[in-house]
Amino acid sequence: MPFVTQFKIVIYCASFVVSATGILFTLLNRRTDKLQNKLYLTLLIMVVCNSLSEIIADTATISSGVSHAAAVAVEVGHLSYHLVHSGIAPIFFLYVLSVCGANMSGKRKRYVAMFVPWIIVELFVMLNPVTKWVYYYDRNMEYHRNWALSMVYISSGLYVAMAIFMLMFLWKALNTKRRTALIYFFFIVLSGLCVQLFNYDLRAELLSEAVALLGVMIAIEIEDDRIDAGTGVYNRRALISDMNTFLVSGRQLYLLCVKITNTEIIKHATGSDSTDTLSKLVAEYMKTLVPRYQIYSINPDTFMLTLMENDETKAVWLAGMISERFERPWKIGDNEIPLKVLIMAADVPARIRTVDDALYMADSPVPKKLDKNILTGSDLDYLLRRAAVENAVTRGLDQHNFEVFYQPTYHVATRTLHGAEALIRLRDPELGNLFPDEFIPIAEQIGLIDDVDDYVLREVCKFLESGIPTEMGMECINVNLSMLQCMQPAFAEHIVDIVDKFNVDKHMINFEITESVAAGDYITLSRVVRLMKKQGFKFSMDDYGTGYSNMQSIFRLDFDIVKIDKSILWSAEKGQMGQIILDSSVRMIRQMRRKILVEGVETEHQLEMLKELGVDYAQGYLFSKPISKADFIDMLQKS
Ligand code: C2E
Ligand code: CA
Ligand code: CA
């Protein structure tokens, strides 16, 4: 056997082994369901077939002079080689498209047009046994290239160029690993092609394709770092990378966020934290609805599904299916666990414009007041608003956009000034004026409430240090404390630290704690209150009457003032039942020897009513709305 032929056969065997290895591990990994995986597998199979046909053709060439069968084998080998090989570049082009997240389901006509060069080349190859335009054999059955073979190269070059163009166009859609893998592919394949083009005896092309595909397998097809070990579906990292790909490539889709909202029940029911078991169970269920590669496990209680059509009806239908499943309990061990779910179906890119928006949907706390468990369309505006407010709070602390307003409180009997409540405002350059009801809960959730409350306390201390409040006869300024803040272990020390930096009388500061906090953790709170009262601070219970509460605990805490919520006052005006509640609240608080303040006084009639009941202090729009410090000083000086 001539050395050149032996050499060729060895090279083709190598290509065969390398690409067959690729197939083996792709199948072992069972990654063959996604279109991208299918295209990759097709490429490997094509290289395997090509290697085989070349091995057959080259082996047969040696004996083709003697046997007719061998001559046929040579013909068949070369013909099938060309038929398959012309398809590698177009299929690779499709593979690049799918890695870049391009939508290949719609726009069929355009795709068909794209494959015209491939079809023409295949026709040339199929007709070759008759025309001999692509290749022919001489008298010794030696293979020679003919003019039409350049058509094959031109067509392949065209697809490679289109793939490179796509890659450049959607460069940002890919992470570094994927970019590197695709560039590596082009580099190795083009090198192999050039070598073979200039010296036809060095058949480097097929081997370079096999090796390059193996590189692609390592970097793109093996997805261990994208898979969530517990559930076997994609993880958070995969969502970030895929959402980026979809957004950059302008892909339209629906993102379904499935959030289990009562996972704490699992611990309660099973006595152990079986959240992971539950996650697995739910992931398995999801797989019955959509392919596994469209499911992402973000947290043990949060899943995201990518629905690749921008079809709201379908998204809502699927959300309905999932919601229905959650009406039945889930079986963990011997326990039947009822789970609650919230499903959000968001239009990408209409509502979800960035990767952060998507993560936001997954991570943001579930809105409290919800009358439905499937949110879609404008229901989700709160999400975007929330994200914007979150930014405004962060920005506000950096750029000093917060401001403390003051609302005066008055003695009911004499209508003279008693004090003021400090209420925070946020003036954001983008969102305008924001009210605390909106941004305080958000500041709490993103862990910035301490900074906000510290700012208010410092501002109040500055105001007190100026001496104006005492000059004006104010007895105290009230400062609101967030629930989270006063439960922290070093809270009392922290507050004293801040106040001690100013020259102020601690009796002038009155902290307001809401009723719900007081009822929450009596032991911690009583320690805090005791410690701080020893230092001279005063305390008020805020929002009395808004929640259920453990009266006994609350009144064992040493509050100076109880602030009755405005809703109690307003309902007292409306009917007898409300009147009874207000009367008995006032009587009870007085018997416990606490001072009483009623909020939300807007009319003379209300004030008269409070006077008759013997309420100590009043606060409300009748006297003044909360106003800026400058306006507040102005108002005091005028009266
Ligand atoms: P709150 O402590 O119950 O404050 C009283 C709220 O009632 C204030 O709303 C005030 O503007 C409003 N108000 C007072 N009088 C009347 C009235 O006659 N009629 C009506 N309709 N409303 C009246 P604001 O300033 O929007 O504050 C809302 C809540 O935000 C506060 O409720 C408080 O819980 C919280 N907050 C305000 N400032 C701070 C702060 O510096 N730190 C913390 N942690 N929370 C704050
Ligand atoms: Ca308050
Ligand atoms: Ca209040």
Side-chain angles (χ1 to χ4, degrees):
M1 194 189 285
F3 176 73
V4 173
T5 314
Q6 281 180 19
F7 176 73
K8 283 183 205 159
I9 293 175
V10 169
I11 297 262
Y12 289 131
C13 284
S15 327
F16 174 79
V17 171
V18 172
S19 43
T21 307
I23 294 181
L24 178 70
F25 285 100
T26 303
L27 293 179
L28 277 181
N29 270 322
R30 286 200 236 132
R31 293 280 173 263
T32 51
D33 46 356
K34 203 159 59 158
L35 177 64
Q36 175 193 316
N37 306 143
K38 284 183 183 138
L39 290 168
Y40 177 74
L41 194 63
T42 309
L43 285 168
L44 283 174
I45 292 172
M46 289 170 111
V47 176
V48 162
C49 291
N50 269 191
S51 312
L52 277 179
S53 28
E54 287 293 82
I55 292 169
I56 292 168
D58 280 339
T59 321
T61 308
I62 302 156
S63 45
S64 58
V66 269
S67 123
H68 175 69
V72 173
V74 173
E75 285 261 18
V76 171
H78 281 143
L79 184 67
S80 65
Y81 173 88
H82 282 286
L83 280 174
V84 173
H85 199 244
S86 328
I88 289 186
I91 301 284
F92 185 72
F93 168 62
L94 285 181
Y95 179 72
V96 171
L97 279 187
S98 96
V99 173
C100 292
N103 183 3
M104 289 189 278
S105 51
K107 303 175 200 152
R108 284 259 156 75
K109 270 189 199 145
R110 209 207 282 179
Y111 279 96
V112 171
M114 262 182 207
F115 293 107
V116 169
W118 181 20
I119 296 166
I120 294 175
V121 164
E122 292 291 2
L123 283 175
F124 269 101
V125 174
M126 277 187 266
L127 292 175
N128 194 65
V130 184
T131 61
K132 316 279 187 217
W133 287 339
V134 182
Y135 57 90
Y136 62 92
Y137 303 97
D138 60 18
R139 242 176 267 128
N140 306 321
M141 274 309 279
E142 195 134 338
Y143 173 92
H144 291 280
R145 297 183 273 185
N146 205 354
W147 63 270
L149 192 66
S150 53
M151 305 271 287
V152 178
Y153 281 108
I154 290 170
S155 147
S156 296
L158 199 71
Y159 289 109
V160 171
M162 287 202 291
I164 292 177
F165 177 74
M166 276 312 282
L167 188 62
M168 275 165 23
F169 191 63
L170 296 174
W171 187 246
K172 284 205 186 112
L174 301 175
N175 58 24
T176 322
K177 206 164 146 194
R178 290 178 169 216
R179 288 173 188 166
T180 316
L182 293 176
I183 291 175
Y184 167 85
F185 182 90
F186 287 124
F187 180 73
I188 300 285
V189 168
L190 289 176
S191 313
L193 191 81
C194 289
V195 169
Q196 180 162 342
L197 214 55
F198 292 112
N199 185 343
Y200 194 58
D201 284 334
L202 294 173
R203 300 288 176 85
E205 195 181 337
L206 212 51
L207 184 59
S208 66
E209 282 162 4
V211 171
L213 280 175
L214 220 54
V216 168
M217 173 159 105
I218 293 165
I220 302 181
E221 291 296 304
I222 294 181
E223 297 191 306
D224 289 352
D225 57 339
R226 289 167 46 89
I227 302 279
D228 178 63
T231 53
V233 294
Y234 282 152
N235 57 20
R236 187 184 185 92
R237 186 180 177 154
L239 180 82
I240 293 173
S241 143
D242 291 354
M243 276 308 293
N244 177 53
T245 304
F246 295 145
L247 287 164
V248 174
S249 61
R251 191 76 190 258
Q252 296 197 325
L253 59 138
Y254 255 87
L255 195 58
L256 226 63
C257 176
V258 179
K259 229 178 217 212
I260 303 164
T261 55
N262 63 336
T263 38
E264 69 288 344
I265 191 177
I266 301 171
K267 201 162 184 179
H268 204 73
T270 64
S272 67
D273 189 5
S274 325
T275 324
D276 290 347
T277 321
L278 171 84
S279 275
K280 216 164 160 177
L281 216 63
V282 176
E284 284 310 315
Y285 166 70
M286 301 284 188
K287 283 186 207 166
T288 64
L289 301 175
V290 294
R292 58 110 201 141
Y293 52 82
Q294 292 181 10
I295 310 170
Y296 300 78
S297 164
I298 310 298
N299 299 316
D301 53 9
T302 310
F303 288 89
M304 291 280 219
L305 309 181
T306 46
L307 309 180
M308 301 320 288
E309 291 132 285
N310 195 250
D311 182 347
E312 177 165 13
T313 329
K314 223 172 188 175
V316 170
W317 174 80
L318 194 64
M321 291 278 288
I322 297 171
S323 162
E324 235 169 65
R325 172 61 190 90
F326 275 84
E327 278 163 22
R328 285 179 286 125
W330 298 78
K331 205 165 159 57
I332 296 184
D334 296 330
N335 300 292
E336 297 264 324
I337 300 179
L339 291 174
K340 282 192 199 140
V341 73
L342 173 69
I343 305 162
M344 294 172 256
D347 186 336
V348 181
R351 278 217 155 62
I352 302 291
R353 295 189 198 96
T354 63
V355 175
D356 279 347
D357 285 350
L359 291 178
Y360 203 88
M361 182 155 79
D363 297 334
S364 69
V366 176
K368 283 209 184 76
K369 291 168 206 140
L370 271 185
D371 49 357
K372 48 186 167 183
N373 73 340
I374 297 175
L375 304 180
T376 183
S378 57
D379 298 342
L380 292 168
D381 286 347
Y382 85 91
L383 261 182
L384 301 174
R385 171 77 184 173
R386 234 202 84 108
V389 172
E390 222 177 71
N391 291 333
V393 170
T394 317
R395 194 162 45 222
L397 285 167
D398 285 346
Q399 303 173 355
H400 311 288
N401 298 333
F402 285 102
E403 189 181 346
V404 176
F405 273 38
Y406 294 90
Q407 186 181 31
T409 57
Y410 286 83
H411 289 275
V412 173
T414 56
R415 269 198 162 201
T416 50
L417 183 69
H418 160 253
E421 178 175 5
L423 293 159
I424 193 153
R425 298 290 180 262
L426 174 55
R427 272 185 228 275
D428 185 68
E430 281 175 33
L431 301 184
N433 287 347
L434 294 173
F435 281 88
D437 278 337
E438 182 174 25
F439 67 78
I440 293 280
I442 294 175
E444 286 185 334
Q445 279 148 7
I446 60 177
L448 291 177
I449 189 66
D450 295 2
D451 298 316
V452 173
D453 280 349
D454 289 356
Y455 164 78
V456 176
L457 184 59
R458 271 193 216 102
E459 286 299 303
V460 168
C461 287
K462 267 188 225 165
F463 189 27
L464 287 170
E465 204 175 35
S466 74
I468 300 172
T470 22
E471 247 169 62
M472 297 294 159
M474 286 168 69
E475 293 165 35
C476 59
I477 296 184
N478 288 22
V479 175
N480 290 284
L481 288 180
S482 114
M483 325 215 201
L484 294 174
Q485 221 194 1
C486 38
M487 292 300 163
Q488 283 165 12
F491 170 69
E493 293 79 355
H494 176 72
I495 295 286
V496 172
D497 252 16
I498 293 180
V499 177
D500 277 347
K501 297 217 166 70
F502 298 85
N503 179 23
V504 297
D505 179 0
K506 296 195 180 77
H507 288 96
M508 292 293 288
I509 300 176
N510 186 324
F511 289 110
E512 297 192 0
I513 300 178
T514 63
E515 186 194 50
S516 51
V517 180
D521 184 354
Y522 170 72
I523 309 219
T524 315
L525 200 65
S526 64
R527 182 191 148 264
V528 168
V529 173
R530 215 179 322 115
L531 249 158
M532 289 178 64
K533 287 206 69 157
K534 230 186 255 171
Q535 293 268 341
F537 296 108
K538 289 183 187 150
F539 276 89
S540 293
M541 184 206 288
D542 202 357
D543 300 342
Y544 173 86
T546 50
Y548 80 100
S549 37
N550 180 346
M551 288 298 155
Q552 210 192 352
S553 301
I554 291 171
F555 285 102
R556 277 197 346 235
L557 292 171
D558 195 9
F559 285 113
D560 299 279
I561 298 175
V562 174
K563 295 183 76 170
I564 296 182
D565 193 71
K566 42 191 175 281
S567 59
I568 305 269
L569 171 67
W570 295 344
S571 54
E573 255 195 329
K574 280 193 204 120
Q576 206 190 354
M577 203 49 127
Q579 185 71 52
I580 293 171
I581 293 173
L582 179 65
D583 289 0
S584 52
S585 297
V586 170
R587 207 170 324 120
M588 187 182 74
I589 299 167
R590 215 186 7 247
Q591 277 169 1
M592 293 181 174
R593 299 211 173 71
R594 308 277 190 264
K595 296 279 190 204
I596 304 165
L597 184 150
V598 176
E599 298 180 325
V601 181
E602 294 184 345
T603 61
E604 287 292 345
H605 176 250
Q606 289 168 341
L607 186 66
E608 212 44 51
M609 192 165 77
L610 298 180
K611 205 168 176 177
E612 276 165 30
L613 282 173
V615 167
D616 303 281
Y617 315 111
Q619 174 182 358
Y621 292 176
L622 174 64
F623 303 103
S624 168
K625 285 193 172 185
I627 45 179
S628 72
K629 183 167 138 186
D631 288 347
F632 184 67
I633 295 174
D634 214 38
M635 186 191 81
L636 293 185
Q637 279 163 349
K638 274 190 190 129
S639 57

